[in-house]
Amino acid sequence: MKLAQLGVTADQKAEVKIVLRKYQPTVGPLIKQVVTERRALRDTIRAQTIDETAIREQVAKVASLESDLAVQRAHVSHDIRAVLTPDQLQKLKDMQIDVDGRIDGFLHRVANRIAAD
């Protein structure tokens, strides 16, 4: 999210920074753990021999961490939305709809290219 696109004020920007700093001690280490465990999953998937049990165990680790991270992201998002005006919240919603539309369009183009080959 680019705050400038929402037209936030200097005060709002300062409040958002406070929110981000509040959650950084929790979110930062979680992100590092997710990256570490995703790399371990990649290595497990690419191993010379396929070990389904090890893959499933590693996927479970990643899923658990990602669910913890999703909860933290929800808290951050909630606290940041509390700083925004109703107009800014609508702009944010519209931006998400636009991004979703572009992603859907990209996926459709990729699917068409694969089908055409």
Side-chain angles (χ1 to χ4, degrees):
M1 164 180 61
K2 294 184 179 180
L3 296 176
Q5 289 178 301
L6 296 177
V8 298
T9 66
D11 288 343
Q12 286 175 309
K13 190 174 180 178
E15 288 182 60
V16 168
K17 283 184 179 184
I18 290 169
V19 169
L20 295 175
R21 282 190 197 114
K22 172 183 171 184
Y23 288 100
Q24 198 286 327
T26 305
V27 173
L30 268 174
I31 291 171
K32 287 180 183 178
Q33 285 181 292
V34 168
V35 169
T36 298
E37 296 302 335
R38 279 188 163 275
R39 287 179 180 158
L41 174 59
R42 178 194 62 208
D43 293 344
T44 305
I45 290 169
R46 293 180 179 172
Q48 287 287 46
T49 57
I50 297 172
D51 183 343
E52 289 186 29
T53 301
I55 293 169
R56 291 178 193 283
E57 288 172 357
Q58 193 59 37
V59 166
K61 286 181 189 177
V62 171
S64 176
L65 289 168
E66 286 186 346
S67 68
D68 291 344
L69 186 56
V71 169
Q72 290 301 309
R73 288 177 55 207
H75 285 290
V76 171
S77 178
H78 177 268
D79 289 1
I80 289 175
R81 285 192 317 269
V83 171
L84 302 177
T85 66
D87 185 51
Q88 290 167 331
L89 289 169
Q90 185 59 50
K91 283 182 188 178
L92 183 62
K93 187 182 229 182
D94 293 344
M95 287 168 55
Q96 187 61 58
I97 290 169
D98 181 55
V99 168
D100 288 347
R102 283 188 272 138
I103 290 170
D104 291 345
F106 171 76
L107 293 173
H108 181 71
R109 288 189 302 278
V110 168
N112 285 340
R113 284 185 193 154
I114 291 170
D117 288 340

